[in-house]
Amino acid sequence: IDSDTKQLFVAENNGVVCAFAMAEIVIKPETPYTFEQKYVDIKELGTDENCQGKGYGKQMLQLAIQKAKNEKQGIFPCSAE
């Protein structure tokens, strides 16, 4: 993803993609009626049906939130064992 505000995270186990998350850092400027707002919007979150119920989706959500706060992107191996 070629963006400073969007991140794609992928969980894999033994070379098999188990889950992914797409996150975007949204910055809304200050207006006369509101303060500046900066938040993380999880655009998409998916888990392969063979990996469901093993915690991959939860890990993707937690990782996307943490990494988006740090404004980094990447592909990270993770395990639900």
Side-chain angles (χ1 to χ4, degrees), residues 9-75:
F9 303 96
V10 177
E12 62 176 48
N13 189 357
N14 296 323
V16 176
V17 174
C18 291
F20 75 96
M22 171 80 83
E24 181 176 9
I25 298 169
V26 179
I27 301 172
K28 291 188 175 184
E30 183 177 346
T31 71
Y33 307 103
T34 64
F35 294 107
E36 178 184 73
Q37 298 176 6
K38 184 176 181 180
Y39 59 92
V40 176
D41 186 4
I42 306 299
K43 297 289 190 183
E44 294 186 47
L45 177 67
T47 304
D48 182 88
E49 63 183 27
N50 296 321
C51 298
Q52 291 178 353
K54 298 179 181 177
Y56 288 105
K58 182 177 180 178
Q59 284 184 332
M60 287 290 89
L61 186 57
Q62 291 170 341
L63 182 62
I65 291 169
Q66 183 57 48
K67 294 297 179 181
K69 285 180 180 178
N70 295 337
E71 299 185 10
K72 295 181 181 178
Q73 354 179 36
I75 299 173

